[in-house]
Amino acid sequence: MVFASDSFLFLFLPVFLIVYALTPGAARNLAILAFSWLFYAWWRADFLPLIVSIAIWSWATGLWIARAEGGGRRRALVVGIIWPLASLVWFKYANMFVHSAGALGASVWGWQDVLLPIGLSFFVFGAISYSTDVFRGTVRAEPSFVNYATYQSMFGHLVAGPVVRYEWVAQRLKERTFHRAEFMFGVERFMLGFAQKVLIADTLAPLVDAGYALAAPTTADVLLAVAGYTLQLYFDFSGYSAMAIGLGLMVGLKFPENFDNPYLATSLSDFWRRWHISLSSWLRDYLYIPLGGNRGSTGRVSMNLLVTMGLGGLWHGASWTFLIWGLWHGFGLMVGRVWKTFGLPGTGAVLGHVLTLAFVMVGWALFRAQSWAQAGVIFSGLAGANGIALSPAMGAAVRPLEIATLVLGIGFIYLPKLLRIDPAAPNPGHALRAWTALPLFLFAVLVLQGRIVVPFLYFQF
């Protein structure tokens, strides 16, 4: 089940909100948990025990970590992250290792591909951050399993983020009161996120698919497809994040903002402070800083960046193309840091923005590729191997609606900056957003009736 589906909009969500409203305050976390596990089981009930087992394991070992002393705390931490991490490695990367071995001439007799449970990457990162924070003493171990499992399993962020940390919701898990204004703002965020997913991201999907399906794309074909994917990915994932934040607010839980106009960044480090913020901050706090962070020689810091971004790339998908995408960004961050270290002149805001966006889009071209062969086709086309102008095949595949949506998407990137609009701010100065949320949502629901349900892009990660 996805948020942008009739089954969620007209069955699951209304029933959940009614049951939640009728449930006494002390049992409301249990209501959220029951519906969250039902939400997950709607996809594959046979994977629900895995999710539940990770929650039980992390909760129990969290209590162990809190009570242990001396070296026992570190042993408890290691045990606490073993099962979640082992689950992630097996379900997400076993196929990649086996297929890579096959490409080198080795084979695993009778191997059958392992299906990746949706949302496992987000779920595991939440479990690891909780165990680590209890070990560091930044949060207290949660004594209630229901409260902990509600944090981990809440359907709003369960399958595609944000990567929520326990400390962000700990207080409200224990005690929260209903605020009508907060609930309505949550509804607003959900409706706008739904609209940008359906009306922009899903509308651009055929354009992107057409470009990547070409056997010999031209430079213009690739540029058009990559521009479309750049916007599709952003509006799809930021739309999901807005819906998740809205769902959280409806039940009194505050999830972090996950995007801050990333395509307005003026440097690559600025981009990563704005894009998928919950993941980038997780990589910083639980991987980059423990590796040494900015401490040490230029070479050591550069290696820390490459390792962090390389593993961040693999987190996105079990493919060597994702590793190279991560290293591409690690290399860019490394160059930017070395540039500053030696006091070389800056690029200025405008040129920095253009160079950053170009660098990011080159990365997206690889990120979208399904294989090395397809990546080779895309980059050879970008280099002009098949001509420069738009090909007849791409011209025939692209509809005026998709071009108009592309232009509209670009406008939504830059207009809030020009008009000084903060899309996440719940204050009366942005009444235009509140007035437009319902019409856009209803129009998106109408459009959805004529389409098949398009899963969120980050479901695959």
Side-chain angles (χ1 to χ4, degrees):
M1 187 194 312
V2 299
F3 296 164
S5 66
D6 288 345
S7 57
F8 182 83
L9 293 175
F10 302 119
L11 178 59
F12 184 90
L13 184 58
V15 172
F16 164 72
L17 290 175
I18 292 170
V19 171
Y20 182 82
L22 296 176
T23 301
R28 283 185 168 178
N29 284 348
L30 183 59
I32 294 175
L33 179 59
F35 273 85
S36 295
W37 284 350
L38 173 63
F39 178 85
Y40 197 88
W42 201 294
W43 172 69
R44 286 286 297 261
D46 53 337
F47 278 124
L48 182 60
L50 172 67
I51 297 300
V52 175
S53 72
I54 293 174
I56 294 173
W57 184 277
S58 298
W59 170 72
T61 54
L63 294 174
W64 178 19
I65 294 168
R67 294 168 183 167
E69 297 180 355
R73 286 176 60 81
R74 189 171 295 277
R75 286 193 294 274
L77 172 63
V78 172
V79 172
I81 66 176
I82 276 179
W83 173 237
L85 192 58
S87 300
L88 182 63
V89 170
W90 171 255
F91 283 101
K92 190 161 188 172
Y93 301 106
N95 294 334
M96 183 182 76
F97 293 136
V98 169
H99 295 161
S100 296
L104 296 175
S107 63
V108 178
W109 182 81
W111 176 261
Q112 293 185 343
D113 280 352
V114 177
L115 181 64
L116 173 64
I118 61 171
L120 185 62
S121 300
F122 292 95
F123 201 82
V124 166
F125 268 28
I128 292 175
S129 69
Y130 172 75
S131 298
T132 305
D133 287 347
V134 172
F135 172 79
R136 292 173 175 174
T138 56
V139 301
R140 293 183 177 182
E142 173 56 63
S144 166
F145 173 71
V146 171
N147 285 359
Y148 176 76
T150 299
Y151 145 69
Q152 272 241 272
S153 307
M154 198 278 175
F155 64 85
H157 68 82
L158 175 60
V159 295
V163 183
V164 178
R165 302 188 199 181
Y166 173 74
E167 63 178 312
W168 294 339
V169 296
Q171 186 57 43
R172 290 203 172 198
L173 281 170
K174 295 176 174 62
E175 184 179 2
R176 58 188 182 275
T177 56
F178 175 80
H179 296 286
R180 182 179 179 277
E182 187 173 79
F183 177 86
M184 292 308 299
F185 183 53
V187 172
E188 206 176 281
R189 291 299 301 275
F190 180 88
M191 290 193 297
L192 287 173
F194 179 88
Q196 71 181 61
K197 152 70 175 170
V198 173
L199 300 180
I200 300 180
D202 291 356
T203 302
L204 289 172
L207 181 152
V208 177
D209 293 344
Y212 272 79
L214 294 175
T218 66
T219 300
D221 295 344
V222 173
L223 289 175
L224 188 58
V226 172
Y229 185 66
T230 299
L231 293 175
Q232 180 197 10
L233 184 62
Y234 171 64
F235 284 106
D236 185 280
F237 192 24
S238 66
Y240 178 92
S241 295
M243 295 167 78
I245 291 168
L247 289 168
L249 288 172
M250 291 181 207
V251 295
L253 298 175
K254 285 189 175 182
F255 302 149
E257 293 296 333
N258 214 20
F259 292 88
D260 182 19
N261 296 319
Y263 292 152
L264 298 180
T266 56
S267 68
L268 195 57
S269 58
D270 186 29
F271 172 80
W272 279 105
R273 284 190 291 268
R274 296 164 172 263
W275 176 273
H276 202 344
I277 299 169
S278 63
L279 174 64
S280 59
S281 64
W282 195 101
L283 293 172
R284 178 196 65 206
D285 294 342
Y286 300 99
L287 188 56
Y288 180 67
I289 291 177
L291 285 172
N294 296 332
R295 301 185 302 274
S297 65
T298 299
R300 176 58 187 272
V301 173
S302 298
M303 182 57 64
N304 293 341
L305 285 170
L306 287 173
V307 171
T308 299
M309 296 309 295
L311 291 175
L314 276 178
W315 176 89
H316 283 83
S319 168
W320 299 115
T321 56
F322 286 110
L323 173 63
I324 299 303
W325 172 80
L327 293 175
W328 168 254
H329 277 271
F331 174 76
L333 290 169
M334 180 185 71
V335 170
R337 181 165 183 82
V338 170
W339 192 278
K340 286 184 178 180
T341 300
F342 288 96
L344 299 174
T347 58
V350 175
L351 180 58
H353 170 63
V354 172
L355 293 175
T356 300
L357 194 56
F359 186 94
V360 168
M361 290 177 70
V362 170
W364 289 148
L366 176 62
F367 191 88
R368 171 60 175 76
Q370 300 294 311
S371 64
W372 285 115
Q374 189 175 57
V377 168
I378 289 296
F379 281 106
S380 64
L382 183 63
N386 306 306
I388 304 297
L390 194 72
S391 69
M394 188 65 171
V398 176
R399 300 174 299 167
L401 174 62
E402 292 155 5
I403 298 300
T405 305
L406 189 70
V407 174
L408 186 65
I410 294 171
F412 281 134
I413 296 295
Y414 289 99
L415 278 178
K417 176 72 172 178
L418 296 175
L419 299 177
R420 301 181 182 276
I421 294 175
D422 179 0
N427 61 60
H430 305 310
L432 176 62
R433 187 197 60 227
W435 280 103
T436 56
L438 182 58
L440 284 174
F441 173 74
L442 293 176
F443 180 59
V445 170
L446 181 63
V447 170
L448 184 66
Q449 305 313 305
R451 293 178 177 171
I452 60 171
V453 174
V454 180
F456 289 93
L457 296 178
Y458 260 67
F459 272 18
Q460 62 186 302
F461 307 137

